[in-house]
Amino acid sequence: MDHPPYRVAQELESLLGDPDDPATPFSHARSLELDENEEFPSDICRVLEGWGLQEFYVPAEYGGRLTDYETVMQVMRVVARRDLTVAVGHGKTYLGGVCVWISGTPEQARRLAEDIRAGVPVSLALTERAHGSDLLAGDVRGEADGAGGWRISGEKWLINNATRGSLLSVLTRTAEDGGPRGFTVLLVDKRPMTPGEHYRCVDKIHTHGIRGADISGIVFDGAPVPADAAVGGEGGGVETVLKALQLTRTMCASLSLGSADHALTIALDFAERRELFGRRLVDLPQARHVLASAAADVLAGEALATVAARSVHTVPDELSVAAAVTKYLVPTGTEGVIAELTRLLGARAFLKDVHALGMFQKVDRDHRIVGLFDGNTLVNLNSLVNQFRSLNRGWLRGTGDTAGAARAFDLAEPLPPLAPERLSLVARRGSGIMATLPASVAALRAEAGRRPELKGALGAAERLLAVTGRVHEAMDAHRAVVSDVPPAAFDVARQYSLCLAGAACLGLWTHNHRAAQSGSTGPLWRDGVWLWPVLDRLLTRLGEPDAGDPDAYPPLLERLRAARAAGELFSLFPFALHGPADRPDGTPGDTAPPTGAPGDAAPPTHASGAPGGPPAAAPHAHTHTRAAVGGTRTSEGTSC
């Protein structure tokens, strides 16, 4: 099944070339070198900007290419799959601008769009050294200057691109008493200010992962900010930020998906080459179980993220639920995948310059940050706890926007433009995604009545429906919790997230399985090959007894191996990876060429044209970006 967002992402993949070739600008070797030196990836960012990555941070109505969030997610997944540091460092410009796209005036949006498209870096400055995620405790003050503007003072800390960024969306206390209406987002432009007088940058903070990123801070000292810098009006800062975070938390899934893609590929290549006890590792039962379980978790994350990204457009008033679930579940799921694959790789998971140049340890280190920013695990689970009352009531009544959820599931349905005014801090009528679960199970039951191959998937779906009912009963016991959330409520929110992920997977499969049976990923969709193990893994993570059906996984593992042998991404939708899939790394014991499993695809060919030659023309090649921005560069350089 050809899916347009993947087609656009394919264009970027084709441009970037083979990451295993050190001669390409965005190679794994270059990423490791930059990481070792803790150096910002400016040269790689320039390559991305030459293609026009920054255009995807700007809504189409302001001259950019941001038409739908699913496409943005898949484009950023390409970048994250190669190097999470680059994705975090460059993608921060979108995070810096999103408050303006939600609450800014048309004039603010036009000016910001011109800057971003010209390569001006933008940052989002929320956190402070003493307060972390407690936004209402922020001390950075904005005092009226008597002319309608402000003078701001105080420090923002642990800010991505605080030093490199020319523009910063700063959450500022503009009322002395603070409170929900006491903060304003000010779009602060450093360019007209005097460094050392109005502001100074805090030194780069050395981090365990994403070592090359500009994680630093900024201190303002009476910095002048004009009246037209207020985004969403004075006092609307907290609401604007919380709505903006619904979008950024959803988009964070791209970082985890790319990391999981990379980690799974490294581990599979190792298992195909490594010999133990006279057999290849991939033929040993425990290794096969680890790989197949990881593959199922990767597809669960992809399915959930796909539905969440589409629901940005189709169910924006319920995004507070889908965003929190996605931001909690996809990063933690990827952390689990990496942890399991670490045990498979053994020492090679930690060593440099051995297997896959030592990229696995970088993926591991880098990805640990994803679960922390834009709201950590507890923040997102707490957001769900705060909505237990409406979510449980919606489940009992069968309410929620089920029509909008169905549009998110059905990939043939065109997405409407985002309506920022429909974003809500609470899903008042419940979750439409969750409310579709009984109907999805019924549809699968009817399909299984005609096709016995679906009995395994149906059994898992029936169990998920039963568990979901019990989880909502447990939610009812915590419906009045507002503060001092007990640990048990967090656990119920965790279970709710897994159930909603199951509802998303079932909705996606039931609405698309017929159309999706064409193309290279068709075997994944036929007979519930991906659906059964994904649901089984969700039941296992829910702690259900007797979950972990061994019959669910062998076909999925063979599809994983077949995709790798064909030089394709292991994904729900067709996507060709650039470069040969079976390049040996020269390590003794790791270099035996892989042998395809029975029924696997033919050996890989160079995905982008003749071996060693230039990339072939990508579908729907992007030809207008440089003309659109006039090929210009600002004095600040690129938006990285």
Side-chain angles (χ1 to χ4, degrees):
M1 178 182 185
D2 182 40
H3 191 36
Y6 288 68
R7 192 187 312 141
V8 177
Q10 184 76 70
E11 177 190 326
L12 178 57
E13 176 77 10
S14 298
L15 168 83
L16 294 177
D18 181 2
D20 289 325
D21 181 358
T24 60
F26 197 172
S27 67
H28 295 323
R30 178 59 177 155
S31 293
L32 287 165
E33 178 186 10
L34 292 167
D35 182 71
E36 191 71 22
N37 296 327
E38 300 190 32
E39 182 181 345
F40 194 88
S42 299
D43 52 345
I44 297 175
C45 289
R46 281 189 287 271
V47 171
L48 295 172
E49 291 204 340
W51 179 72
L53 179 60
Q54 71 278 14
E55 301 269 325
F56 288 89
Y57 308 152
V58 178
E61 58 264 39
Y62 301 114
R65 294 187 73 188
L66 200 173
T67 55
D68 70 273
Y69 280 82
E70 191 185 1
T71 297
V72 177
M73 177 178 289
Q74 294 307 323
V75 167
M76 291 307 298
R77 181 182 181 183
V78 170
V79 182
R81 185 159 54 244
R82 291 173 179 247
D83 188 350
L84 193 61
T85 300
V86 177
V88 168
H90 195 281
K92 187 63 177 185
T93 286
Y94 169 74
L95 273 65
V98 68
C99 289
V100 175
W101 311 143
I102 289 175
S103 299
T105 65
E107 180 57 29
Q108 286 175 328
R110 281 193 293 270
R111 289 200 308 264
L112 180 62
E114 289 174 0
D115 275 334
I116 291 176
R117 294 175 63 219
V120 176
V122 187
S123 183
L124 178 63
L126 299 182
T127 57
E128 299 177 14
R129 196 183 299 258
H131 307 300
S133 299
D134 188 358
L135 300 182
L136 292 179
D139 288 326
V140 170
R141 291 292 307 274
E143 298 181 342
D145 64 0
W150 294 268
R151 290 193 173 274
I152 67 171
S153 300
E155 180 193 56
K156 290 292 183 180
W157 186 71
L158 280 185
I159 307 301
N160 188 1
N161 280 353
T163 299
R164 300 180 67 87
S166 296
L167 291 156
L168 299 94
S169 293
V170 182
L171 183 63
T172 311
R173 181 190 288 260
T174 49
E176 186 171 352
D177 294 337
R181 303 298 300 177
F183 290 81
T184 305
V185 172
L186 299 179
L187 187 59
V188 177
D189 192 341
K190 288 160 56 178
R191 291 171 294 187
M193 296 182 181
T194 304
E197 178 183 347
H198 296 134
Y199 74 89
R200 61 180 175 83
C201 294
V202 177
D203 290 344
K204 170 182 167 65
I205 297 159
H206 298 286
T207 53
H208 181 62
I210 58 169
R211 290 175 177 171
D214 171 23
I215 308 298
S216 54
I218 187 167
V219 179
F220 297 104
D221 187 7
V225 179
D228 62 0
V231 178
E234 185 172 353
V238 172
E239 182 176 356
T240 291
V241 165
L242 292 178
K243 289 179 177 179
L245 287 174
Q246 292 179 17
L247 298 176
T248 63
R249 287 169 178 169
T250 305
M251 290 300 101
C252 280
S254 64
L255 307 178
S256 292
L257 292 177
S259 299
D261 293 339
H262 198 172
L264 184 58
T265 298
I266 291 172
L268 177 62
D269 286 352
F270 176 71
E272 294 279 15
R273 292 166 170 82
R274 181 66 167 162
E275 289 191 5
L276 289 173
F277 314 113
R279 301 169 67 185
R280 283 184 305 145
L281 188 58
V282 75
D283 295 324
L284 299 178
Q286 180 60 22
R288 293 174 66 83
H289 173 73
V290 169
L291 287 168
S293 297
D297 288 345
V298 169
L299 293 188
E302 182 179 37
L304 171 61
T306 297
V307 172
R310 292 176 61 83
S311 70
V312 167
H313 301 269
T314 66
V315 205
D317 48 347
E318 296 177 7
L319 191 61
S320 60
V321 179
V325 168
T326 302
K327 181 57 173 64
Y328 158 65
L329 208 55
V330 180
T332 55
T334 297
E335 288 172 5
V337 165
I338 292 172
E340 287 299 312
L341 296 177
T342 294
R343 285 186 272 275
L344 182 71
L345 286 163
R348 284 167 178 78
F350 306 96
L351 300 177
K352 299 180 181 180
D353 303 320
V354 179
H355 177 65
L357 302 178
M359 278 298 291
F360 191 90
Q361 54 84 28
K362 174 170 162 50
V363 174
D364 185 7
R365 287 187 288 105
D366 288 350
H367 182 262
R368 297 186 191 194
I369 192 66
V370 179
L372 299 179
F373 54 56
D374 284 21
N376 61 29
T377 292
L378 292 179
V379 167
N380 286 286
L381 292 178
N382 189 73
S383 174
L384 294 173
V385 172
N386 290 339
Q387 300 182 72
F388 273 4
R389 181 188 294 274
S390 60
L391 292 176
N392 188 50
R393 185 171 59 239
W395 171 256
L396 294 174
R397 297 176 179 176
T399 59
D401 189 351
T402 54
R407 291 188 70 183
F409 297 148
D410 190 347
L411 302 180
E413 281 282 331
L415 293 173
L418 170 64
E421 68 279 3
R422 287 185 58 195
L423 291 170
S424 173
L425 301 185
V426 177
R428 293 181 175 82
R429 298 180 65 243
S431 166
I433 293 174
M434 190 68 92
T436 65
L437 179 58
S440 293
V441 174
L444 179 59
R445 189 182 303 119
E447 192 75 17
R450 299 185 293 270
R451 298 170 56 199
E453 302 86 357
L454 293 171
K455 293 293 187 182
L458 175 61
E462 299 275 17
R463 291 188 67 185
L464 178 71
L465 181 59
V467 173
T468 301
R470 296 197 297 271
V471 168
H472 280 87
E473 291 175 4
M475 291 166 63
D476 190 54
H478 302 288
R479 66 184 184 277
V481 170
V482 177
S483 59
D484 296 327
V485 179
F490 283 111
D491 192 54
V492 173
R494 181 188 65 81
Q495 294 172 340
Y496 178 88
S497 298
L498 291 163
C499 292
L500 188 133
C505 292
L506 275 161
L508 193 67
W509 189 88
T510 56
H511 282 79
N512 301 283
H513 69 97
R514 291 184 178 87
Q517 290 184 28
S518 63
S520 61
T521 57
L524 270 176
W525 291 79
R526 285 193 287 273
D527 302 332
V529 165
W530 74 263
L531 182 63
W532 183 11
V534 162
L535 294 180
D536 189 74
R537 282 293 296 163
L538 292 173
L539 290 170
T540 299
R541 293 162 72 180
L542 280 161
E544 282 298 287
D546 302 321
D549 191 329
D551 293 335
Y553 296 90
L556 187 69
L557 178 59
E558 299 317 314
R559 297 322 312 164
L560 170 66
R561 299 178 68 188
R564 185 60 178 149
E568 295 182 349
L569 178 67
F570 181 66
S571 167
L572 295 172
F573 308 103
F575 189 94
L577 294 172
H578 199 305
D582 59 348
R583 185 191 310 277
D585 63 10
T587 303
D590 290 347
T591 58
T595 302
D600 278 355
T605 58
H606 200 278
S608 58
H620 290 245
H622 181 62
T623 57
H624 304 297
T625 299
R626 296 280 18 108
V629 299
T632 59
R633 285 286 183 266
T634 67
S635 59
E636 289 79 32
T638 65
S639 68
C640 43

